[in-house]
Structure formats: structure tokens, C-alpha cells
Amino acid sequence: MGKNAFMWATKSLIIFQKDVQLEFRTRFAINAIVLFAITTLTAISFSIGPARLETTILSALLWIILFFSAMSGLSHIFVREEEQQTADTLRLVTTPLSIFLGKWLFNVVLLFALEIIIVPLYFILMNTSQSAGNNFLLFLLLLFWGSLGLATVSTIIAAIISQASARGALFAVLAFPISLPVLISSIHGTRLALEGNTFSECLPDLQILIAFFVVILTVSILTFEFIWKSN
Amino acid sequence: MFKIKASGVTKKFNERSVFKNIHFEISSGQSLAITGHNGSGKTTLVRIISGLMSPSEGSVKFYKNDNAIEPENVHSFIGLVGPYLQLYHNLTALENLTFFSKIRGLGANRSRILELMALMGLKGRELDYVKNYSSGMLQRLKYVFALLHEPEILLVDEPTSNLDEAGSAIVYNILKRQKESKILIVATNNPEESRIGQKRIHVGD
């Protein structure tokens, strides 16, 4: 078991490295998600002007931007393999589990990288720095677990839609209902964090986010082989 | 000693049956030619044998010294060349082959890659992007990819597709060596190439 786990981890990392290398060459996903996020953030910032929005709206805006950015870019990870006919080559050389874990890791890192750019901009452009000062650590914790859930949902849905013909529309349509628990808890928890609430007040939201992540990752690992070999 | 045993392999797409009830058995040191006209299902059968597609009925089983090989481990023993297998066009040939070598657990294995590139007449083109390769060079590169791990079972779909005379000669040499001690399966509609196989299956009729 230990040897197998090490082998999967190693192969997943090799796939992750290959995807990073390809992404830096083509910039399909990076361009899509960064441009979407910055454009949306800037448009909202111009429309609200110097006004300060309610934390309820601010937290929802952040997660809407993150959700649609994820929808615009994270599906590339599998769609690219199918469109360029490299999926069969990949099927031939390694196990479905290592492919899923490598692709999942790539989407997680990509979403975190986006947040490193977007979150500071969000605080500056939305004039939220003062209210967030009290519980920034809690905010980061919610962002971490919410993003893990979002990246995992995006990865498994990307694998499903890569086998379909109407890929673009199908991704958001399938991902939205499955991501709903993440979005609701993340928006609620982020609002509490922005209002400076304590860890214990945010605990139910964090519990939902962690539980959701564990469940969706487990379900994804169990079902991926069937999805990946469904031809 | 490796063995492949296919029993009652049938493939249907919706209600249309591509082929029915195919049986064969092939061991190390033997070769099989799959023949048939365009659209007869040669590629479908190769994809089923290689595990890229599931049969509608029947099974293909692999054995090593009479012990069944687990389906998840079969890919370690198979090398496949086919028109539907593509390499990453935005990576160089060397980057592609290094990736596939690492993922097969062979490490970077640069000397083996360079040796096979030279064998296939691609010496000096290792650092070119695959998107800049011609169709003939791509076919040669697919052989390098398939032979990297010295597979016990080599499946070749349209062996000399896009190759010039020199490329075809190299390929025939590789196929000849493969069938001496390992398993070779060739799918072709070229009568000359079908003679490579000691056993033959005709699909589509």
C-alpha cells in the first residue's frame, strides 16, 4: 500500500509538472481565469466608485468572481487532452488515479495562484481593508478550504464534460449545483470573517467546507476511472 | 513468456455491430495481423486489445508465465503506435519522451531516448517542437514513444502510414525483431504488411 501510494504520488507530480510546462507555453487557462477575474473586479470597482459595500455583498462578490473564474479556466485541464488527442496516449501509460491527482493538483495550484493576485486587488479595489483587519486569518482559512472544494468540483466536472460535445455550457451547468454547498458556506463564512467574528462563530461553515472537500475528493477518486474509461 | 487470449470479443456502437465473436490466442515469439477494409473495425479491435476501449461482449486477458496480469498493470507491457495517439505538440520531442519515460517509471532515460531517436532517423531533431514535425516524422516519433520501455507486446495500427521508403524499412526491421521473441500485433489493409503476421484475423465480413 505504501509503495503504491508513493508511486501514485510520484506519477501525479510528473503529470502536474508536464501540465505546468504546457500551461506556461500556451497560457490557455492562466489567461482565461486571470483576465476574467481582473476584468470583473475592475468593472465592479468602477461601478461602485468610492462607496463601501455591505459585507454581505462583498463576500458574495468575491466568491462569484472566484467561481466564474474557475468555470472559465479550470475545465481546460481535461478538455485540452481530448481536443489534442493526447488523452488516449495518457490512458496508455499510467493509471487513472495518478492522472486525476495530477490534474487536481494543477487546478488547486492554479486557483491558489489566481487568489494571490485577486485577493489583494479585491481588498484594495473594494475598500475592504479596514473591516478585514480583525480576522484576516479566518478569511484565509475559509478561502483555503473553499478553494480546495471548488478546484476539486471543477476537476471532476472537467473530466466528465471532456467526454461530451457541448463542453462550454455544460461545465457551468453541472458545476453550479454541485458547488452550491461550497459557495453558500464560503460566502456566509467570508461575511463573518470580514465583520471580524471569531473562529468559533465560523466553525459550522468551516466544518461544511472541510466535509464537502473530503466527500467530493473521495467520490471523485472512486468515480474517475469509470469516467476516464467511459468510451 | 507472455500470452494474450481474446474470447468472444464483440463490439457494437449503439445497435450497429462492428464485429462479432472474435477469438484468438497469441504468445511471445508470435505475431498476429488484423486485416480488413476501411471501416471494418481493425482500429476498434486494436483499441480493445490495448485497453483503450471496452468490448461490448467478451474479454481480452493477458498472462505472464500463465499468471493473469491485473488490468491496471497491463499498460506497463504494451507499446502502441496508431494514428489516434498524439504526443504533446507544444512540447519538444525530448520533453515529450522524457515525460513518458518518467511516467513509465524509467526515469529521464536520456541515453535510451537519444538511441531510439537516432534509430528512427530523428537525430538532431530532439529539441524541435512536435508541432513543427512533418507527418512522417511524427509517425517515426510515435515508434520511439512505443518502444521506450521495450514492450513485451507491440501493437501497430497502420505501421507505415505517412512513412517514406527509408522510414518503412526501419519500421519493418523493428517489427521483425519484435516478433522474434515478443508479441507483435499489426492492423493493416496492405496485403504486403499483413504477411508480417503468422496468424491472421480478418474483420468486417
Side-chain angles (χ1 to χ4, degrees):
Chain A
M1 180 63 193
K3 193 184 166 190
N4 274 348
F6 177 74
M7 193 185 71
W8 289 327
T10 309
K11 290 189 173 184
S12 304
L13 277 177
I14 294 167
I15 290 171
F16 168 73
Q17 283 170 353
K18 182 269 296 174
D19 282 328
V20 170
Q21 198 174 15
L22 270 175
E23 185 55 43
F24 276 104
R25 293 267 161 84
T26 60
R27 299 196 184 91
F28 284 147
I30 292 177
N31 284 349
I33 70 170
V34 172
L35 281 177
F36 182 90
I38 291 180
T39 311
T40 319
L41 202 54
T42 313
I44 295 168
S45 163
F46 274 115
S47 64
I48 62 171
R52 282 192 61 189
L53 297 175
E54 298 272 327
T55 50
T56 319
I57 297 169
L58 280 173
S59 58
L61 278 177
L62 174 68
W63 283 98
I64 288 169
I65 292 168
L66 289 177
F67 175 76
F68 283 105
S69 301
M71 291 307 100
S72 67
L74 300 192
S75 66
H76 283 290
I77 197 73
F78 281 109
V79 171
R80 184 166 57 194
E81 300 280 0
E82 292 293 343
E83 285 180 348
Q84 298 180 354
Q85 294 181 292
T86 48
D88 275 346
T89 320
L90 212 48
R91 282 185 185 100
L92 202 66
V93 295
T94 190
T95 56
L97 181 60
S98 49
I99 294 170
F100 176 78
L101 291 177
K103 302 285 186 190
W104 170 76
L105 186 61
F106 177 84
N107 273 352
V108 168
V109 171
L110 190 61
L111 196 56
F112 283 154
L114 171 77
E115 285 164 1
I116 290 171
I117 301 168
I118 287 302
V119 170
L121 278 175
Y122 167 80
F123 279 111
I124 296 164
L125 296 174
M126 301 286 148
N127 309 317
T128 54
S129 51
Q130 287 171 349
S131 59
N134 286 341
N135 221 332
F136 189 62
L137 272 179
L138 187 57
F139 171 84
L140 288 181
L141 205 58
L142 284 154
L143 194 65
F144 174 80
W145 286 108
S147 305
L148 276 183
L150 207 52
T152 312
V153 169
S154 304
T155 309
I156 194 67
I157 300 294
I160 295 170
I161 62 124
S162 68
Q163 310 291 325
S165 49
R167 287 164 182 157
L170 202 58
F171 189 53
V173 168
L174 280 178
F176 179 69
I178 300 174
S179 308
L180 212 51
V182 177
L183 290 174
I184 291 169
S185 300
S186 299
I187 290 169
H188 184 253
T190 304
R191 180 179 67 79
L192 294 178
L194 289 176
E195 287 169 356
N197 285 287
T198 60
F199 178 83
S200 58
E201 284 165 302
C202 271
L203 194 58
D205 291 314
L206 274 171
Q207 283 171 329
I208 292 172
L209 289 177
I210 295 168
F212 179 87
F213 165 65
V214 172
V215 169
I216 198 74
L217 184 65
T218 309
V219 170
S220 301
I221 287 170
L222 291 175
T223 55
F224 181 72
E225 184 168 356
F226 175 74
I227 296 165
W228 184 238
K229 293 190 165 178
S230 64
N231 51 356
Chain B
M1 173 69 92
F2 283 79
K3 189 165 76 180
I4 306 175
K5 194 173 174 182
S7 322
V9 176
T10 299
K11 185 67 186 178
K12 289 177 188 168
F13 289 115
N14 297 322
E15 287 308 304
R16 191 177 71 85
S17 178
V18 183
F19 47 73
K20 275 183 193 169
N21 213 20
I22 287 182
H23 295 265
F24 67 85
E25 200 172 311
I26 181 170
S27 308
S28 298
Q30 293 184 323
S31 53
L32 172 75
I34 302 168
T35 59
H37 55 78
N38 293 147
S40 57
K42 299 186 296 295
T43 295
T44 303
L45 184 55
V46 168
R47 287 173 63 88
I48 288 172
I49 297 168
S50 62
L52 290 177
M53 192 180 266
S54 306
S56 307
E57 288 166 36
S59 64
V60 180
K61 289 183 177 159
F62 295 78
Y63 299 87
K64 183 182 179 184
N65 299 327
D66 291 328
N67 297 316
I69 302 171
E70 293 294 321
E72 64 266 26
N73 296 327
V74 167
H75 65 82
S76 317
F77 304 103
I78 288 183
L80 173 63
V81 178
Y84 38 87
L85 281 191
Q86 291 298 330
L87 303 180
Y88 294 97
H89 283 213
N90 287 304
L91 297 180
T92 66
L94 188 62
E95 286 168 344
N96 263 290
L97 297 167
T98 305
F99 164 67
F100 288 114
S101 179
K102 281 183 180 173
I103 208 146
R104 283 200 183 274
L106 307 168
N109 212 0
R110 198 182 164 94
S111 59
R112 170 85 180 146
I113 293 171
L114 295 179
E115 178 197 325
L116 284 172
M117 292 281 287
L119 173 74
M120 292 309 302
L122 294 171
K123 193 175 179 181
R125 308 303 294 269
E126 297 88 351
L127 300 179
D128 289 7
Y129 281 103
V130 171
K131 64 184 172 191
N132 296 331
Y133 270 42
S134 70
S135 53
M137 288 167 72
L138 259 177
Q139 179 74 351
R140 289 172 184 236
L141 193 62
K142 287 179 189 177
Y143 276 93
V144 181
F145 156 75
L147 296 171
L148 263 180
H149 56 303
E150 301 180 49
E152 287 297 330
I153 301 156
L154 181 64
L155 292 114
V156 188
D157 194 354
E158 297 179 26
T160 53
S161 157
N162 296 316
L163 290 178
D164 55 17
E165 213 170 305
S168 300
I170 297 170
V171 164
Y172 290 139
N173 217 6
I174 289 168
L175 302 185
K176 191 179 154 198
R177 261 186 290 156
Q178 176 75 20
K179 70 178 186 178
E180 279 168 7
S181 59
K182 297 174 180 177
I183 294 176
L184 172 68
I185 298 177
V186 177
T188 181
N189 48 22
N190 178 332
E192 287 293 315
E193 287 173 359
S194 68
R195 290 196 193 106
I196 294 170
Q198 296 155 332
K199 296 183 176 184
R200 286 185 206 174
I201 292 177
H202 190 79
V203 288
D205 293 332

